[in-house]
Amino acid sequence: MDNESSDSGVETLIRWAHGEQHVDTTSLAWRRTASERLREPTLSVCMANEVVELASNALVTIVRVADNTGFAAACNLGIRLALSEATCTHVWLLNNDTIVDRRALAALLARSARDERIGVCGSTLLYYDSPDTIQSFGGVFHPARGGGTNLGAGGSLRQLPSTELVEAKMDYVVGASMLTSRRFLEDVGPMEESYFLYFEELNWSRRARRSFKHAWARDSLVFHKEGASIGTSSRTRSSDLSIYCYNLNLLRFLQEFHRALLPLGVAIVVSKFFISAMNRDRAAMRVISRVIGDFLWSRGSTRDGVTRLKNYAYGHRAAAEAKRRSEAQGPVDAVAPRGSVGED
């Protein structure tokens, strides 16, 4: 799925398929990937409003979406296309900023096959630039703290815990790599598109917990360039889009699944405004103010709010650019026309 990307991702994939694209393989993570092509990748590129099924003669089908409809909406489009194939038993949702170990998919399928109740199975996520360091085995959500924890974060690949221990603690599978069964998708339904970004996996898990379980395939290794798609990571300041979606969806999620904790969630978001003020981060202050206002007074989805946020940001940048140009030109002397008031 190409969700109105602003880069040249599709063109890069086309060049790669033709053997014309140089790939930077300096990261040690590449040592665990397949060393040669097992099959020449044939591509089919189409628009979302044109495609109804996967191209039969293409190994890779790229679907271009005219508007950025969010993570869940793009995933759902891909899911529908995959399920149009009668032989499809599972759908693997994989971030575009990852590379995978050659045995990653086989390990996911093997773990899922051991228990028919498994609806979603996750991988061992590792940092792309530090491929022996764990990013996550799975997620744990703490409603009273308004945030989550990545199980295993910062640990070593050489010391993996048992499958049973990890799965007993997991609340959800992290979205960078999720293998979903056909039965899960047909029974539980698609991802919640109104979130746009963040909390989709947790929402899915909450909706499915009475009928399905989530799992972890410890030998499925996926190397993740964390946050590359949205301009954020745990090691840098989050983008305005990330701040907006995370905090608004936190409140929406608490309202739906932990209503008693919603006042505490509002207090947590408000506290972030004052922390941003202490750090003199005016952009974050504006975004958090918009989060609070949209949650309290707007009935639209997070996706609607993202559109308003983008329009505001565009207008703000345009005004700043106009001011910068005006200041660069300097003051303009006023010249009174001949015959005007004040002329001798």
Side-chain angles (χ1 to χ4, degrees):
M1 295 298 114
D2 176 59
N3 215 358
E4 194 200 21
S5 61
S6 57
D7 57 18
S8 56
V10 173
E11 289 70 24
T12 299
L13 280 173
I14 293 173
R15 290 195 298 270
W16 165 79
H18 294 158
E20 302 169 353
Q21 178 65 37
H22 170 71
V23 178
D24 181 4
T25 59
T26 54
S27 169
L28 295 178
W30 285 93
R31 295 183 181 181
R32 295 182 178 272
T33 62
S35 59
E36 60 183 18
R37 294 183 178 187
L38 300 179
R39 174 180 166 188
E40 284 302 309
T42 53
L43 294 185
S44 172
V45 182
C46 53
M47 294 299 296
N49 59 353
E50 300 172 350
V51 61
V52 293
E53 61 183 13
L54 295 174
S56 59
N57 61 340
L59 178 63
V60 180
T61 299
I62 300 175
V63 181
R64 306 191 82 153
V65 183
D67 299 313
N68 185 355
T69 51
F71 174 75
C75 287
N76 287 340
L77 177 57
I79 289 169
R80 287 193 294 271
L81 286 174
L83 294 182
S84 68
E85 297 287 313
T87 57
C88 175
T89 61
H90 294 79
V91 177
W92 190 13
L93 300 174
L94 187 67
N95 269 26
N96 63 340
D97 56 353
T98 60
I99 64 171
V100 303
D101 179 270
R102 62 180 69 88
R103 295 157 297 187
L105 179 56
L108 286 167
L109 289 168
R111 176 69 190 97
S112 297
R114 290 201 291 271
D115 188 339
E116 65 179 10
R117 295 173 300 163
I118 294 174
V120 185
C121 187
S123 302
T124 297
L125 299 179
L126 303 153
Y127 288 107
Y128 175 83
D129 54 2
S130 182
D132 288 325
T133 304
I134 305 297
Q135 181 191 346
S136 181
F137 301 137
V140 178
F141 182 66
H142 310 285
R145 286 162 43 188
T149 300
N150 282 320
L151 290 172
S156 172
L157 180 60
R158 298 180 181 86
Q159 297 178 330
L160 295 181
S162 69
T163 299
E164 294 74 19
L165 180 62
V166 170
E167 291 182 356
K169 295 180 178 180
M170 282 175 61
D171 282 329
Y172 61 95
V173 173
V174 177
S177 174
M178 298 188 290
L179 184 76
T180 59
S181 72
R182 186 184 192 104
R183 191 166 70 90
F184 170 87
L185 294 168
E186 292 176 342
D187 290 358
V188 177
M191 300 179 79
E192 177 53 60
E193 297 185 7
S194 65
Y195 280 122
F196 189 83
L197 181 68
Y198 293 126
F199 284 87
E200 306 96 328
E201 312 103 303
L202 191 53
N203 174 281
W204 228 2
S205 178
R206 286 289 195 274
R207 286 158 49 199
R209 60 182 173 182
R210 292 183 180 179
S211 305
F212 294 89
K213 61 182 290 188
H214 38 251
W216 169 55
R218 71 197 307 269
D219 295 325
S220 175
L221 306 183
V222 172
F223 305 93
H224 187 203
K225 295 181 180 179
E226 184 194 20
S229 300
I230 57 171
T232 186
S233 80
S234 62
R235 293 176 278 186
T236 62
R237 189 268 200 194
S238 297
S239 66
D240 289 351
L241 175 64
S242 175
I243 293 171
Y244 179 83
C245 291
Y246 184 89
N247 287 285
L248 181 55
N249 287 339
L250 166 64
L251 299 179
R252 293 185 59 209
F253 181 82
L254 292 177
Q255 185 177 45
E256 183 172 1
F257 296 102
H258 300 277
R259 184 173 289 272
L261 294 175
L262 180 58
L264 179 58
V266 172
I268 289 172
V269 174
V270 170
S271 72
K272 293 179 182 180
F273 175 89
F274 292 106
I275 292 172
S276 299
M278 291 173 60
N279 294 330
R280 299 182 179 180
D281 189 342
R282 293 184 178 180
M285 292 169 63
R286 286 194 295 268
V287 173
I288 295 172
S289 296
R290 186 168 290 270
V291 166
I292 298 169
D294 284 353
F295 178 74
L296 294 177
W297 294 293
S298 173
R299 295 185 178 182
S301 66
T302 303
R303 188 162 69 181
D304 296 333
V306 168
T307 300
R308 292 193 297 271
L309 181 69
K310 288 181 177 179
N311 291 339
Y312 172 81
Y314 178 81
H316 186 74
R317 286 195 300 268
E321 177 64 17
K323 181 179 179 181
R324 186 192 65 79
R325 290 181 179 179
S326 176
E327 292 174 347
Q329 291 174 356
V332 178
D333 293 332
V335 179
R338 292 183 62 82
S340 62
V341 176
E343 182 179 9
D344 293 335

